[in-house]
Amino acid sequence: MYPVIEWKENKVIMLDQRLLPQEEKFIIHSHYTEVARSIKNMVIRGAPAIGVAAAMGVALGVLNGEAETEQDYQRMLSLFSRTRPTAINLFWALDKMRNLYYRFKNNPEELKQKVIEEALTMDREDVVTNKKIGRNGECLLRSGQTVLTHCNAGALATAGYGTALGVIRAAVENRKKISVIAGETRPYLQGARLTVWELQRDHIPVTLVTDNSAGYLMSKGKIDAVIVGADRIALNGDTANKIGTYSIAVLAKFHHIPFYVAAPISTIDFSLESGKDIPIEERGKEEVIRFRDQIIASPETKVINPGFDITPYRLITAIITEKKVIYPDYKSEIRRLSE
Ligand code: MRU
């Protein structure tokens, strides 16, 4: 196993996902500002992993005495909240850390202990949650099927095991023969660089395709199901995930292929009625016109680079959570999940 993120000797250690698959390098973080920078710069990415990283970052800030006054603590939380706007798991984690501050602020030593405990619990529980998602979802897959996934919703996007890839892993552990088709996921290539890397390490058959082949492959009967992760799910089931997910969902509907979202309940934003209010991260043009030091479009080119899109609930066959698999009508099902 490769630790995506680890708390070790009061430092936060992260696998630098920007360098995969060529290099496996770890970055050691000693200050919370470094952790925030690593979230922003995509050293670590994927909704649940971002949440765990932010919690560990806050714990580091408290431990180092960098956030002793209420003002400093708020400043620290605000820095993290500005790193990646779409994944709700970030804000879910920060809310937990905020609550701890107000409960233990009069006892700095206890606060230190509590924030570290909370961050480590979040890390541990995320893996347990993903295994439950896997167990709940794997019965939707049959042996011999080929599953299309987009971006990376695997071990690298979480504290371990993964959500969408967790479902595939659980099916394989249950002796089902599953093949994966991974879309490259332009422009950041999470599919090509990360999903392929982690599935190959687990010896799960994976084939890489360009993002624009999905329709062709579906029309040829090469895809039996689609499973993706989520960055934020609204009360009605509308789901934000990596840009390109919506197009795949439309294609899946047209070809009568089931389209599943696998996500922990912490990815649900119970305050949003629909996906129209989910903030979509706009990323810089450099990612599109360049790959590492390779220029692929002239520097003057105008670029639009949204990091995520919203898949309307009508296109989603089921949402796989750690409690259960839910089907439309999502609104009432999702409300019940919070009970
Ligand atoms: O920009 P990223 O790489 O953080 O985007 C990641 C995704 O869109 C994942 O599919 C999502 O976070 C689910 S991860 C279990």
Side-chain angles (χ1 to χ4, degrees):
M1 262 301 257
Y2 37 89
V4 173
I5 183 163
E6 213 180 355
W7 177 272
K8 206 169 176 185
E9 292 163 3
N10 295 334
K11 306 257 187 300
V12 177
I13 302 171
M14 287 179 207
L15 176 63
D16 189 346
Q17 298 191 26
R18 298 168 306 179
L19 305 179
L20 291 173
Q22 287 94 337
E23 282 179 77
E24 289 173 35
K25 266 199 186 157
F26 290 86
I27 300 185
I28 301 173
H29 304 79
S30 310
H31 295 282
Y32 80 83
T33 49
E34 297 166 357
V35 176
R37 199 175 316 127
S38 280
I39 296 174
K40 195 167 181 56
N41 295 344
M42 313 267 283
V43 169
I44 192 162
R45 29 65 50 202
I50 292 171
V52 172
M56 287 193 185
V58 169
L60 204 54
V62 173
L63 191 76
N64 289 337
E66 293 169 301
E68 274 169 3
T69 65
E70 186 168 341
Q71 204 184 17
D72 286 343
Y73 201 91
Q74 289 295 1
R75 191 175 300 132
M76 172 168 68
L77 295 179
S78 150
L79 178 71
F80 280 105
S81 70
R82 283 179 276 119
T83 52
R84 304 276 321 262
T86 303
I88 184 78
N89 309 59
L90 171 72
F91 304 95
W92 172 84
L94 293 177
D95 275 352
K96 284 186 175 261
M97 299 319 252
R98 182 179 292 106
N99 290 345
L100 284 180
Y101 179 77
Y102 287 109
R103 270 179 68 199
F104 298 104
K105 65 177 182 177
N106 295 329
N107 187 341
E109 280 315 304
E110 203 173 359
L111 178 64
K112 274 183 197 170
Q113 195 192 322
K114 294 289 179 194
V115 287
I116 295 172
E117 260 172 36
E118 182 69 50
L120 296 183
T121 305
M122 230 181 255
D123 187 38
R124 261 194 323 271
E125 281 182 355
D126 188 51
V127 182
V128 175
T129 299
N130 295 338
K131 291 198 167 163
K132 287 184 186 161
I133 292 173
R135 264 201 306 277
N136 289 342
E138 72 87 18
C139 45
L140 298 168
L141 301 178
R142 287 194 311 278
S143 194
Q145 287 193 319
T146 299
V147 179
L148 172 71
T149 190
H150 188 59
C151 193
N152 173 267
L156 288 167
T158 60
Y161 203 71
T163 53
L165 296 193
V167 172
I168 291 163
R169 283 199 165 91
V172 171
E173 282 163 19
N174 205 9
R175 297 171 187 275
K176 293 181 186 170
K177 278 200 166 74
I178 303 292
S179 304
V180 178
I181 291 191
E184 279 181 308
T185 321
R186 275 278 295 151
Y188 211 71
L189 302 178
Q190 289 94 330
R193 298 188 304 103
L194 310 178
T195 295
V196 169
W197 182 82
E198 69 166 89
L199 290 177
Q200 283 174 339
R201 285 176 68 122
D202 271 10
H203 308 288
I204 296 176
V206 56
T207 304
L208 180 65
V209 299
T210 56
D211 298 322
N212 38 19
S213 340
Y216 171 74
L217 293 171
M218 288 181 186
S219 75
K220 292 285 172 195
K222 303 272 187 215
I223 292 166
D224 300 301
V226 178
I227 307 186
V228 296
D231 287 84
R232 200 185 286 223
I233 301 174
L235 270 181
N236 68 349
D238 288 354
T239 294
N241 192 48
K242 181 52 56 194
I243 189 77
T245 304
Y246 171 43
S247 322
I248 296 172
V250 172
L251 288 167
K253 185 81 170 178
F254 183 78
H255 291 94
H256 309 291
I257 295 167
F259 181 94
Y260 302 118
V261 170
I265 294 168
S266 56
T267 299
I268 299 173
D269 188 338
F270 291 92
S271 73
L272 292 186
E273 287 291 328
S274 80
K276 74 175 181 0
D277 294 323
I278 297 179
I280 298 294
E281 180 179 5
E282 282 288 338
R283 299 189 55 86
K285 81 180 225 180
E286 284 299 302
E287 271 179 11
V288 180
I289 62 165
R290 208 184 285 276
F291 182 67
R292 295 199 175 142
D293 47 8
Q294 192 75 35
I295 292 177
I296 50 180
S298 86
E300 305 84 58
T301 312
K302 271 203 216 155
V303 168
I304 304 173
N305 185 18
F308 302 90
D309 58 26
I310 309 288
T311 299
Y313 69 91
R314 282 191 197 86
L315 302 178
I316 301 171
T317 311
I319 300 176
I320 307 162
T321 76
E322 66 272 36
K323 266 199 186 167
K324 61 195 268 224
V325 178
I326 59 169
Y327 297 88
D329 166 25
Y330 292 120
K331 204 169 259 181
S332 53
E333 287 280 347
I334 285 179
R335 281 226 167 82
R336 243 175 268 137
L337 284 179
S338 68
E339 288 164 3

